[in-house]
Amino acid sequence: MAECVVENTCGRDSGKKWTHGSMAFADVVVIIPARNEEASIGLVLHDLPPIGHVLVVDNGSSDATAREANKLGASIVQEPIPGYGRACLTGIAAARCLVPRDQRNRTVVVFLDGDYSDYPDLLPELVRPIAENRADFVVGSRLLGDREPGAMPFQSIFGNRLACFLMWLIWGARFTDLGPFRAIRFSSLEKLEMQDTTFGWTIEMQIKAVLSGCRTIEIPVPYRRRIGVSKISGTLSGTLRAGYRILWTIAKFAATSPRRTVRQ
């Protein structure tokens, strides 16, 4: 993961500018891991409200994902080695180059998928509890929100519920979903020292947030059918790999951390 390699195109006449925004959400950095999302990345960027920085991490795409994101003024970060967590880590490294250390306590980092299954225009709803100092970490729960038919196949719903039940059983954590649309205070994110490079990224963040004492809340978010085929639930192999990684992550932390000592 190369640090500080950001193709910042926001100065071009793309029709939409994010860098150094002057609006209420100027202290927000959005990280969008994207691999072969040429058909959807433009829709995601178009729906985002004005914010501080948008980083699209091109995770080894073989299509025009980076070029489409470039057209709308996003900053492009290259991470050629596939892996959802790896792309997120590369995005965080790039964000460190953009946000001075003394500003990270007031900066909010938002993670958002590039497949247009989430609703980017709802970003203010996730950021607001942190901006108002009511939370440090906000997870958008698809299981609490309205889901378009077929947006989450049975195996995804079951897997998410099982993972959240195990987090409650072991640590007393009250989550309903491992939703990818999430916001966290930058300074809190750095304390988590995230490491997972694959499908265990989301649950690693949630477990570490609970163990570190982050003030955490969930809010319901709607969810629609993604554009294209899911890298996880769209194939049997992807589903099995993701399920194994999530359960392995839970087991790893269960073996090394206190149980049911932290409640939200």
Side-chain angles (χ1 to χ4, degrees):
M1 291 168 288
E3 292 194 13
C4 301
V5 181
V6 181
E7 302 169 20
N8 192 332
T9 63
C10 294
R12 300 184 181 182
D13 187 13
S14 61
K16 190 165 188 176
K17 310 291 192 294
W18 286 293
T19 302
H20 305 302
S22 60
M23 301 194 56
F25 296 101
D27 292 323
V28 174
V29 177
V30 173
I31 295 175
I32 306 175
R35 184 167 183 245
N36 294 332
E37 307 291 4
E38 175 184 359
S40 57
I41 192 66
L43 296 170
V44 174
L45 296 175
H46 180 271
D47 286 1
L48 276 173
I51 51 180
H53 298 277
V54 177
L55 303 175
V56 173
V57 184
D58 184 13
N59 194 204
S61 296
S62 59
D63 66 2
T65 295
R67 185 168 67 246
E68 291 301 311
N70 188 312
K71 289 179 182 178
L72 283 174
S75 296
I76 311 302
V77 185
Q78 295 293 340
E79 176 46 76
I81 302 175
Y84 181 81
R86 188 181 298 276
C88 291
L89 288 169
T90 299
I92 294 171
R96 290 192 186 106
C97 300
L98 298 173
V99 182
R101 187 176 298 275
D102 62 356
Q103 295 180 18
R104 293 176 192 173
N105 191 55
R106 72 167 187 259
T107 300
V108 179
V109 178
V110 174
F111 294 92
L112 172 67
D113 280 354
D115 58 15
Y116 205 51
S117 54
D118 298 308
Y119 287 70
D121 55 306
L122 296 181
L123 178 144
E125 302 303 314
L126 272 76
V127 170
R128 190 166 289 114
I130 302 175
E132 295 175 352
N133 200 29
R134 294 186 286 113
D136 303 305
F137 179 38
V138 180
V139 177
S141 173
R142 301 163 296 181
L143 297 186
L144 293 178
D146 295 326
R147 300 187 305 277
E148 184 178 285
M152 288 185 73
F154 169 78
Q155 63 267 27
S156 293
I157 295 174
F158 174 79
N160 274 268
R161 286 178 172 165
L162 175 60
C164 292
F165 170 74
L166 291 174
M167 283 194 287
W168 170 81
L169 186 66
I170 299 169
W171 297 285
R174 298 188 180 278
F175 291 109
T176 64
D177 192 14
L178 308 181
F181 195 14
R182 50 184 57 201
I184 185 169
R185 194 183 305 276
F186 201 166
S187 57
S188 299
L189 175 60
E190 294 207 294
K191 292 176 183 176
L192 302 186
E193 298 181 345
M194 295 291 296
Q195 297 180 3
D196 195 279
T197 60
T198 60
F199 302 120
W201 169 270
T202 54
I203 197 164
E204 179 194 4
M205 183 183 292
Q206 285 168 248
I207 292 172
K208 285 185 170 180
V210 171
L211 293 174
S212 69
C214 281
R215 296 172 297 166
T216 303
I217 65 172
E218 281 188 317
I219 65 170
V221 294
Y223 197 65
R224 59 190 154 211
R225 294 175 64 92
R226 62 157 290 148
I227 295 176
V229 178
S230 171
K231 283 80 171 176
I232 300 177
S233 61
T235 64
L236 177 60
S237 62
T239 300
L240 293 175
R241 290 199 310 271
Y244 168 79
R245 190 68 184 188
I246 289 169
L247 292 176
W248 183 88
T249 301
I250 293 172
K252 178 182 72 171
F253 282 102
T256 58
S257 61
R259 299 190 179 195
R260 298 188 69 86
T261 59
V262 181
R263 290 191 179 273
Q264 294 168 277

